[in-house]
Amino acid sequence: MNDNPATGPWNNPPERKKPLRRKRAEKLARRAEHWGRRLEEAREEGPDMVAAVIFDRLRGELDTLPQTARDRAYDDVTRALERVRETHAQ
């Protein structure tokens, strides 16, 4: 048995084909492409479908947040909706 601590597996990380940040960037790009495609399809069907797709995306993002961040995000979304309503009210 080799007692040299420098040769332990914890000192020699595995070689990765792609760095993790590149894999993460590719995953985020695929997700953005997916939502962009869904939004374009929804625009062809009308404003109600666009609202439904946006709500689905928002809900998915909010569900991944920890509770305190989720509470702040709900407040931000509420304020954004109020600004849109005030801006476009006639």
Side-chain angles (χ1 to χ4, degrees):
M1 188 156 181
N2 192 353
D3 292 330
N4 186 356
T7 61
W10 50 90
N11 290 324
N12 299 311
E15 293 294 322
R16 298 188 188 277
K17 292 181 199 172
K18 295 181 183 178
L20 289 178
R21 65 178 165 261
R22 182 173 167 198
K23 286 176 73 172
R24 179 163 168 73
E26 290 174 355
K27 180 180 177 183
L28 291 174
R30 283 192 306 273
R31 184 183 301 166
E33 181 182 355
H34 166 78
W35 284 109
R37 192 170 46 249
R38 281 194 61 191
L39 196 55
E40 284 301 316
E41 292 168 358
R43 284 189 178 125
E44 294 173 4
E45 294 186 32
D48 289 339
M49 187 56 80
V50 171
V53 168
I54 291 171
F55 180 78
D56 288 346
R57 182 169 186 195
L58 175 64
R59 188 57 180 254
E61 294 296 326
L62 290 176
D63 287 345
T64 63
L65 295 174
Q67 187 61 44
T68 56
R70 188 179 310 150
D71 293 340
R72 289 191 311 267
Y74 277 128
D75 292 340
D76 290 343
V77 168
T78 302
R79 283 193 297 273
L81 286 173
E82 285 299 316
R83 280 194 306 269
V84 168
R85 187 188 59 76
E86 290 169 2
T87 302
H88 299 286
Q90 295 184 7

